[in-house]
Amino acid sequence: MGIFDKFKKGLEKTRNFWVSEWKKTEAHHGKFDEETLDEFEELLVRGDCGVPAAEDIITTIKDHIKKTGDDSRDSVMDVVKQRVVEILGEKQTIDIVPGKLNIILMVGVNGTGKTTTAGKLASRYKSEGKKVIMAAADTFRAAAVEQLKAWGETTSTAVIAHGEGSDPASVVYDAIKAAQARGSDILIVDTAGRLHNKKNLMEELSKINRIINREAPDANVRSLLIIDATTGQNAVLQTQAFSEAVDLDYLGITKLDGSAKGGVVIAVSYLAKVPVVLAGLGEGVEDLMDFDPEAFAASLLED
Ligand SMILES: Nc1nc2c(ncn2[C@@H]2O[C@H](COP(=O)(O)OP(=O)(O)OP(=O)(O)O)[C@@H](O)[C@H]2O)c(=O)[nH]1
Ligand SMILES: [Mg+2]
């Protein structure tokens, strides 16, 4: 299966929703008049694209029709696809700088898929021949540490961990020392990152960042917010809240396979200033792909 097909398959639920709903609308068959535009806007909103992005897309369609006089379904859908790709932005990947220690901080609310994505990333980077180490800086509960250790075993990656309730920053300190001693290329830090209290989160992450700046001042540090597609508009709220609390570099969206709400990527991208770079398409170690805006738009909008 090619990359595009794998991506499409992972998005099957979302795709089925779009294709079947789309077929029900008048716009599917004919021209985009006022009524069908309303119907289409409603579909965008029900598809979790969010109101601001939906309005933007409708305005884009109206401008196109005004300018060209062409309100046929095919030409409008081309314009929609183009606009969706613009909203999603250019395809980007996490930048890994060769010859440096690269530190990836996993943040995000409970259960979004931070630990799973950390494990998948470790596996990916190892298969690319990179030296990887992980830090169990989610010390909030014992199970979290065990879960990361299990991923360490699955992927043959060293995991630096202290006990439950220990200081996350001191785990990160030890992990940096281990990474430096071993000449690691990539350190993946699984944080608790819970937003139960913005002040706590900021304090915890700024403490981790202080340790990194002190102990590994030359490191390439990137923060990756993990959001869960099945939570729909909550993912949008989380992205907003985290953007205010943390310097985010990237977004990763998980559980696209389990959700018909994949349109939320459009809502999130419309608001976020950082790109979606990863797509979680299942629970397995192989089920992580670079997010591809073109493939995503095509999966949703082509029948
Ligand atoms: N279907 C599917 N399940 C996923 C995906 N990513 C993660 N999961 C599942 O979601 C659940 C939660 O994932 P975790 O990785 O434990 O999430 P977390 O953010 O580390 O959670 P906490 O440590 O509790 O904050 C697990 O059962 C994962 O297997 C995905 O892309 N697709
Ligand atoms: Mg976790």
Side-chain angles (χ1 to χ4, degrees), residues 70 90 146 151 179 215 220 252:
D70 186 351
E90 262 173 56
E146 292 312 313
W151 274 106
E215 302 302 326
N220 174 41

Side-chain angles (χ1 to χ4, degrees), residues 33-49:
D33 57 16
E34 277 298 325
E35 200 178 320
T36 53
L37 271 171
D38 285 347
E39 231 178 301
F40 189 59
E41 183 168 3
E42 201 196 306
L43 168 60
L44 292 170
V45 173
R46 276 192 296 124
D48 266 296
C49 297

Side-chain angles (χ1 to χ4, degrees), residues 181-202:
R182 296 170 199 203
S184 304
D185 301 302
I186 299 169
L187 164 61
I188 302 171
V189 180
D190 189 23
T191 74
R194 285 166 185 76
L195 248 189
H196 51 96
N197 173 335
K198 202 150 121 187
K199 192 163 157 273
N200 280 358
L201 171 78
M202 283 199 283

Side-chain angles (χ1 to χ4, degrees), residues 12 33 36 56 66 100 106 153-154 257:
E12 214 157 28
D33 57 16
T36 53
D56 176 300
K66 211 192 238 163
K100 270 197 177 194
M106 313 291 299
E153 266 165 43
T154 308
D257 56 303

Side-chain angles (χ1 to χ4, degrees), residues 108-117 120 138 141 144 147 190 192 194 254-258 280-283 287:
V109 306
N110 254 359
T112 52
K114 295 180 294 297
T115 306
T116 306
T117 307
K120 290 173 177 174
D138 179 357
R141 51 191 181 87
Q147 193 189 352
D190 189 23
R194 285 166 185 76
T254 61
K255 308 186 201 179
L256 279 169
D257 56 303
L281 300 169
E283 292 187 278
D287 300 325

